[in-house]
Amino acid sequence: MRIKNDAGAGYLVSQVWDFSNYAMKDSLDDDGEDLSESGINIFPALYPLSKTQNAVALVQKWSTSYSGGGKEMDLADFMMLNEDGTYKTVFSKIPFYSKEQIRACFSDSDYAKKSHCSDESWSVLNISILDSGDEFYSWEFITKSYDWPSFVDKSKIKKSIDKKTLYPFKNIEK
């Protein structure tokens, strides 16, 4: 929804985009895991594509539960918002967020002896917008991943960073 300030009438809705019938393409490559889809949400942010165009992220959530843990994955499709209320996919199936926890202690004595009784991992996407003077900005997808094995002190969490630069409407990676 776009809102404008009309001096005489106050704030008015000037444009609405309807994503109610949007379906993500190809869904999840789940490598045999039994993950359940739990809907698509609009992430509350605007992402600049150019000086005049913006995109929103439609985030599809997948999850499963384990005995003593579980896994969640969020994938995003970034949609360019056109002035006439239409939209177009810019990037699809971008890993947006994930977390997994697997229990490693199974008895009261395990819990009494160990301070961290689960294997945990998570990742978060950050986006850097790069203006190189082209019609559309390029986007740098920066995924920060964390791994915290069971029975290991929190100060020993392993962190890794993966960076990819992608260009809107092109299957080109830098």
Side-chain angles (χ1 to χ4, degrees):
M1 175 183 314
R2 175 177 288 143
I3 298 174
K4 68 178 180 176
N5 187 0
D6 185 336
Y11 289 97
L12 301 170
V13 174
S14 66
Q15 190 54 262
V16 175
W17 292 269
D18 182 2
F19 296 104
S20 61
N21 293 321
Y22 183 76
M24 302 207 67
K25 296 177 185 162
D26 301 321
S27 294
L28 178 68
D29 299 324
D30 64 2
D31 298 326
E33 294 185 75
D34 189 21
L35 297 176
S36 300
E37 192 264 339
S38 59
I40 298 174
N41 297 301
I42 299 174
F43 191 78
L46 289 175
Y47 300 91
L49 289 168
S50 70
K51 290 180 179 21
T52 60
Q53 295 285 126
N54 287 302
V56 294
L58 300 183
V59 179
Q60 186 174 36
K61 298 186 172 294
W62 296 86
S63 63
T64 190
S65 295
Y66 313 141
S67 174
K71 182 174 186 174
E72 179 181 322
M73 291 179 61
D74 295 356
L75 299 176
D77 282 3
F78 290 89
M79 312 302 293
M80 180 173 72
L81 303 174
N82 296 317
E83 291 292 324
D84 63 0
T86 62
Y87 52 86
K88 183 174 182 178
T89 305
V90 181
F91 301 111
S92 62
K93 291 178 63 175
I94 302 295
F96 201 71
Y97 172 79
S98 69
K99 70 178 179 179
E100 183 172 31
Q101 182 176 14
I102 302 170
R103 180 174 55 177
C105 292
F106 298 95
S107 68
D108 289 340
S109 63
D110 286 343
Y111 285 105
K113 291 187 278 185
K114 306 297 180 189
S115 63
H116 180 62
C117 285
S118 59
D119 292 318
E120 296 181 53
S121 60
W122 62 97
S123 65
V124 178
L125 176 68
N126 291 297
I127 300 170
S128 180
I129 307 298
L130 309 169
D131 183 357
S132 58
D134 292 331
E135 178 183 1
F136 290 100
Y137 303 141
S138 56
W139 290 18
E140 186 174 52
F141 292 104
I142 306 160
T143 303
K144 294 181 182 178
S145 300
Y146 303 86
D147 185 38
W148 186 10
S150 55
F151 317 126
V152 173
D153 186 68
K154 190 174 186 176
S155 65
K156 305 282 186 197
I157 292 176
K158 297 174 192 161
K159 178 181 173 183
S160 63
I161 298 175
D162 179 51
K163 294 182 181 183
K164 283 184 194 171
T165 301
L166 296 174
Y167 300 89
F169 308 114
K170 298 178 185 177
N171 291 327
I172 300 172
E173 201 175 301
K174 185 177 179 184

